[in-house]
Amino acid sequence: MAKKPPNKSAPARQIVATNRKARHNYSILDVYETGVVLVGTEVKSLREGKASLADAFATVDDGEVWLRNLHIPEYHHGSWTNHAPRRNRKLLLHRRQIDVLIGKIKDGNLALVPLSMYFSEGKVKVELALARGKQAHDKRQDMAKRDAQREVVRELGRRAKGMS
């Protein structure tokens, strides 16, 4: 049996970590794909699928974007060259993108929230979102919409099966 050639148009993404709470707590306005400056033991630890974006956030300091509070555990085969698990990591964006982010962050009360971390063509990438925090009533509204949509799908499934 011959294997199909890989699809060149869609890059393969091996997801390492996702921030599941981000879409619940924030309204996503814009999404950027950024590179990350890492040391060797961090990449090895990420290849084992270990990272946590739970408390992570990004800031813009002196024209550079920094990812803070990202937890990458120490590489278990590492020696004295191991990295600090919660060190600040620089994100790689084009100058124009950084300038746009600075302008938007200064205008409104927006935050930079990492949504996911993944490998793309062997390089570690972070999906960074420009987001606005949701109020409690917005969260309840979104949950009600999701529940209503789920109920509609269930009912359509029942009707398709001839149950009601």
Side-chain angles (χ1 to χ4, degrees), residues 54-153:
D55 301 326
F57 62 96
T59 59
V60 181
D61 300 327
D62 298 329
E64 295 179 336
V65 183
W66 293 88
L67 186 60
R68 303 188 187 280
N69 230 5
L70 165 69
H71 185 266
I72 300 175
E74 289 186 348
Y75 181 58
H76 69 279
H77 291 304
S79 60
W80 60 272
T81 59
N82 244 334
H83 61 277
R86 285 203 185 264
R87 74 180 188 88
N88 297 335
R89 294 163 178 95
K90 188 175 179 181
L91 294 178
L92 305 172
L93 286 156
H94 291 284
R95 170 58 46 202
R96 248 189 224 123
Q97 290 175 320
I98 295 173
D99 293 340
V100 167
L101 284 176
I102 291 171
K104 287 183 178 179
I105 289 173
K106 283 184 180 175
D107 286 346
N109 59 356
L110 302 177
L112 291 173
V113 181
L115 298 178
S116 66
M117 180 177 253
Y118 55 90
F119 282 96
S120 177
E121 298 175 7
K123 307 234 182 336
V124 178
K125 303 289 183 180
V126 172
E127 195 173 45
L128 189 67
L130 185 64
R132 176 173 281 120
K134 285 186 186 177
Q135 301 291 327
H137 60 87
D138 293 333
K139 293 178 190 177
R140 285 193 297 269
Q141 240 175 4
D142 285 350
M143 287 171 55
K145 282 181 191 174
R146 228 180 3 250
D147 290 344
Q149 185 64 32
R150 192 177 301 127
E151 197 56 43
V152 166
V153 169

Side-chain angles (χ1 to χ4, degrees), residues 36-47:
V36 192
V37 177
L38 299 172
V39 296
T41 54
E42 289 174 324
V43 176
K44 290 177 181 183
S45 188
L46 287 174
R47 288 210 185 277

